[in-house]
């Protein structure tokens, strides 16, 4: 997982795609909890991944990476 995160920090598109496929379902469920319909949840998931990939350079490998992504998704 650490190698995948480091690759994403280097903006490797293959690594970003892999990360997306690993976590899209868990984060979509998170989005559904805060949205009124599926379309809104899909939009929020998309926006969340954009923010995750923009902010991933700030992740310091302390704590849960999934928790870090969920916090971005909720915010």
């Amino acid at each position: 997982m650490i190698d995948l995160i480091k690759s994403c920090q280097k903006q490797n598109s293959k690594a970003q795609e892999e990360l997306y496929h690993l976590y899209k379902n868990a984060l979509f469920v998170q989005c559904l909890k805060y949205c009124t319909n599926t379309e809104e949840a899909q939009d929020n998931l998309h926006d969340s991944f954009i923010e995750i990939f923009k902010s991933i350079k700030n992740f310091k490998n302390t704590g849960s990476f999934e928790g870090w992504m969920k916090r971005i998704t909720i915010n």
Side-chain angles (χ1 to χ4, degrees), residues 1-20 22-23 27 47-62 64-66 68-69 72:
M1 179 56 70
I2 293 172
D3 291 336
L4 181 61
I5 294 168
K6 286 182 181 182
S7 291
C8 287
Q9 288 172 333
K10 294 176 184 173
Q11 299 180 349
N12 179 312
S13 61
K14 294 278 186 194
Q16 290 173 335
E17 182 178 0
E18 185 178 342
L19 185 77
Y20 172 79
L22 281 172
Y23 288 101
L27 295 180
D47 292 345
S48 295
F49 270 104
I50 289 172
E51 189 59 36
I52 287 165
F53 292 135
K54 285 191 333 190
S55 301
I56 199 164
K57 62 185 175 290
N58 299 324
F59 181 71
K60 304 294 185 210
N61 290 325
T62 56
S64 164
F65 181 67
E66 186 173 352
W68 180 81
M69 290 191 303
I72 288 174

Side-chain angles (χ1 to χ4, degrees), residues 8-48:
C8 287
Q9 288 172 333
K10 294 176 184 173
Q11 299 180 349
N12 179 312
S13 61
K14 294 278 186 194
Q16 290 173 335
E17 182 178 0
E18 185 178 342
L19 185 77
Y20 172 79
H21 287 293
L22 281 172
Y23 288 101
K24 67 179 179 173
N25 293 333
L27 295 180
F28 184 66
V29 169
Q30 196 73 39
C31 289
L32 285 171
K33 292 178 182 178
Y34 294 91
C35 297
T36 57
N37 59 52
T38 304
E39 291 80 19
E40 184 182 0
Q42 289 171 338
D43 287 343
N44 284 339
L45 178 66
H46 178 262
D47 292 345
S48 295

